[in-house]
Amino acid sequence: MSGMRKARAWRGPLSVALLASVLAAHGLPAAAGSGGDGPGHAAREGTPVSVAGTTIVMRDGTRIAATAYVPAAAGPHPLIVMPGAWWNMPQDALLDDKRQLAESGYVVVSYDPRGLRRSGGEADMAGPSDVADVSDVITWALGHTPADTKRVGLYSSSYGGALSLNAAARDPRVVAVAALCPWTDLFESFVRNDTHAGPITTFQALIGAANGRMSPSTVQAFERLSGGHTAEVRAWARERSPRTFAGRLNARRTAVFMAGEWSDPLVPAGHTGRFLDQLTGPKQLWMSPGGHGDSSSREAALLQPRGAVRGHARRWLDRFLKARPNGADRLPPLMVRPRNAEEVETYPGWSALERSPSEVTLRADGAAASGSRRLLAGSDSPADSGPFPVAGLADSIGLPPTTVLPLLAPPLAAVWRSGPLDSPWALRGSPRVSTRLTSTASRGTFVAYLYDVDPLGIARLISHAPYSFAGVGPGTPVTADVQMPAMAWNVAQGHHLAVVLDGADHRYTSVSPIGSSLTFSAADTRLRVPGRAG
């Protein structure tokens, strides 16, 4: 594959073997436990640690609940600030790795973001107030602990990961960031192809309300999204999206490590990769099977104590905050494990994965090439994205959303499929489905699915995306170009690729009026996939 190098294949659960094999393939040292810790070699692994809870007063008077983990050895020590997640699970306390980081020589300050759990104020959804808090916590740590002013890093996941990226772009003291499953474009997390991801937004809003208090602007944004006023949320979301601030990260060459998952319902695959290509400093992204945070969660670390993703995040911080020559920064910028394969692939960037797509010849099931398919708008079919929010976790253990192709037929679904592949295909990147349709109403929603279909008709979901239109006269043709979330999926010889269109999916809010219908042109429905045969 052009622009791609393959690491040695490995077997078993995601573990240190993955990292060791990649290091070996690139001629890099595998050991990370030895070597200096920067100025003064201040601490050794396993040093005693003091732990103290505290309250830090922000510049606007908001009181933030924090915990400081400080090595007993003389400093100065590199500093890691860890903003908390949007919600905490019970295992987060059981599997806390902050003490381990402190035992290895870091001053660690973790805290509940404003408006969440023990902290005062109102949650700003990684906006200006939250960003200012990160800087205030850094300032407090530098003044109250033996932390080194020149070795400051941020480390968190999900909400805290996006907040860390936004804060690093604003605070020149931040040298390195490890952000696990962060969003990079908040608007596109909630709105996809002009379609509101309603259940996902509601899930986020309910969790936020259960964990604390949201700011008026955050409450208003969720209300507007729920009311279908998505355009009014763009500016609010842009101010909270790391991709907006890539230029600031580049100006200081902030070292950025990120992790993501192919089936993340909150961060569509491809968003983080395109953000990766915006960065010009030290950077790296690891993409793995699973849903939101499944490859880097603390419980994953418990099941796989030497898990590669979380372990490599620490190696990344060691490299830039402790000046350890462990080779973490010499690995390629993009590491990919396909959803249905064990071999890890490396690429020089996301654009190398998203190669020029090829058009796949399709034929509509049960219709002439010039025919059409009429569907009931707003009606679901056995084609489905998988149960939210657990489908990604099932996918990570080899259970993708699955259906049976013969069950998919008008008026609930329309199917187009390729012929059997005469060789295996490696699909890498974002598929695109284009079609032409008419509606009996002025607005409508449909969902496009891409399946891998075996000779028995068992269809396994590769990717999917919704599409909505409005302000169109009934019967007026609509040309739709649907970009799906990126994927890394291997299709076996003899299998078919199938495009399925239907009128609804439980993850998205349909704007189709009850009783309306959608008619798709069979001849104008096409599929383009980035991939290669063989």
Side-chain angles (χ1 to χ4, degrees):
M1 184 176 293
S2 176
M4 183 190 83
R5 292 176 287 177
K6 293 184 179 179
R8 186 182 62 192
W10 55 279
R11 297 286 172 182
L14 186 62
S15 69
V16 74
L18 180 152
L19 180 59
S21 67
V22 175
L23 288 168
H26 292 85
L28 303 178
S34 60
D37 285 352
H41 300 273
R44 296 180 180 274
E45 302 286 339
T47 187
V49 171
S50 65
V51 182
T54 188
T55 299
I56 306 174
V57 180
M58 302 292 99
R59 66 189 70 178
D60 65 354
T62 299
R63 300 173 69 83
I64 296 295
T67 304
Y69 301 75
V70 181
H77 304 288
L79 169 65
I80 294 178
V81 170
M82 302 180 70
W86 190 242
W87 72 90
N88 279 352
M89 302 294 285
Q91 63 267 32
D92 291 343
L94 176 65
L95 308 174
D96 193 353
D97 55 3
K98 304 177 187 71
R99 181 184 289 273
Q100 295 176 353
L101 287 166
E103 288 174 348
S104 73
Y106 289 103
V107 169
V108 179
V109 179
S110 64
Y111 72 93
D112 287 335
R114 65 168 54 216
L116 299 177
R117 296 175 290 279
R118 302 170 299 157
S119 290
E122 298 169 324
D124 196 31
M125 204 69 182
S129 296
D130 279 322
V131 167
D133 290 347
V134 175
S135 292
D136 287 352
V137 172
I138 292 173
T139 298
W140 179 90
L142 295 176
H144 292 80
T145 72
D148 190 335
T149 60
K150 295 183 179 180
R151 295 187 290 161
V152 176
L154 304 176
Y155 178 29
S156 192
S157 63
S158 190
Y159 179 73
L163 174 54
S164 294
L165 291 169
N166 289 346
R170 299 275 186 166
D171 196 320
R173 295 172 296 182
V174 178
V175 175
V177 178
L180 310 179
C181 60
W183 73 68
T184 56
D185 188 319
L186 184 57
F187 183 79
E188 292 188 6
S189 290
F190 294 141
V191 181
R192 313 202 182 151
N193 296 317
D194 293 323
T195 309
H196 177 213
I200 294 173
T201 303
T202 301
F203 179 77
Q204 290 285 82
L206 290 175
I207 292 294
N211 273 267
R213 304 150 305 282
M214 293 187 290
S215 68
S217 67
T218 302
V219 172
Q220 183 183 57
F222 281 124
E223 289 176 346
R224 286 175 169 173
L225 286 167
S226 297
H229 305 293
T230 57
E232 300 173 20
V233 183
R234 284 186 181 274
W236 174 85
R238 187 180 304 113
E239 194 173 28
R240 290 157 175 80
S241 299
R243 65 175 297 177
T244 304
F245 309 112
R248 297 185 183 187
L249 293 167
N250 294 338
R252 289 189 288 272
R253 292 187 59 78
T254 308
V256 175
F257 170 77
M258 298 176 290
E261 289 82 24
W262 295 112
S263 303
D264 189 335
L266 304 176
V267 185
H271 288 195
T272 310
R274 288 185 280 274
F275 175 67
L276 177 80
D277 280 2
Q278 287 184 267
L279 301 177
T280 58
K283 60 183 180 180
Q284 201 168 97
L285 168 63
W286 284 39
M287 290 296 298
S288 304
H292 190 65
D294 287 335
S295 69
S296 57
S297 64
R298 291 184 177 91
E299 55 268 34
L302 178 67
L303 296 173
Q304 304 162 15
R306 305 178 73 185
V309 173
R310 205 170 186 90
H312 187 68
R314 177 171 165 178
R315 289 171 56 84
W316 184 265
L317 295 171
D318 286 348
R319 172 64 187 88
F320 291 99
L321 300 181
K322 291 184 176 182
R324 283 187 171 177
N326 57 21
D329 58 321
R330 292 171 56 196
L331 294 176
L334 180 60
M335 314 287 292
V336 166
R337 183 189 168 198
R339 286 170 52 206
N340 60 344
E342 294 180 341
E343 188 173 65
V344 178
E345 304 166 356
T346 67
Y347 298 81
W350 190 259
S351 60
L353 187 78
E354 296 268 18
R355 294 175 311 281
S356 298
S358 302
E359 183 160 338
V360 178
T361 301
L362 299 175
R363 181 177 178 84
D365 274 11
S370 59
S372 62
R373 279 292 179 258
R374 182 177 177 272
L375 304 182
L376 296 176
S379 298
D380 205 352
S381 78
D384 191 74
S385 60
F388 171 80
V390 299
L393 181 60
D395 191 61
S396 70
I397 59 173
L399 298 173
T402 302
T403 189
V404 180
L405 213 62
L407 296 178
L408 306 177
L412 298 182
V415 177
W416 288 257
R417 73 168 91 188
S418 72
L421 303 183
D422 56 11
S423 65
W425 279 31
L427 305 185
R428 303 290 184 270
S430 301
R432 301 188 83 100
V433 172
S434 60
T435 189
R436 188 167 61 87
L437 70 147
T438 58
S439 172
T440 58
S442 62
R443 65 185 189 276
T445 298
F446 69 89
V447 184
Y449 305 86
L450 176 62
Y451 283 101
D452 173 357
V453 185
D454 69 18
L456 297 177
I458 305 300
R460 294 168 177 83
L461 186 64
I462 299 174
S463 192
H464 74 280
Y467 187 93
S468 293
F469 59 91
V472 178
T476 302
V478 175
T479 299
D481 183 28
V482 185
Q483 181 176 12
M484 295 182 173
M487 46 63 186
W489 182 274
N490 295 332
V491 185
Q493 182 178 352
H495 284 208
H496 303 256
L497 292 175
V499 170
V500 178
L501 304 181
D502 75 5
D505 189 282
H506 70 281
R507 296 196 192 192
Y508 309 110
T509 300
S510 173
V511 300
S512 297
I514 296 176
S516 62
S517 63
L518 305 172
T519 301
F520 295 88
S521 166
D524 293 312
T525 299
R526 295 183 172 86
L527 168 67
R528 301 173 70 211
V529 295
R532 66 175 176 87

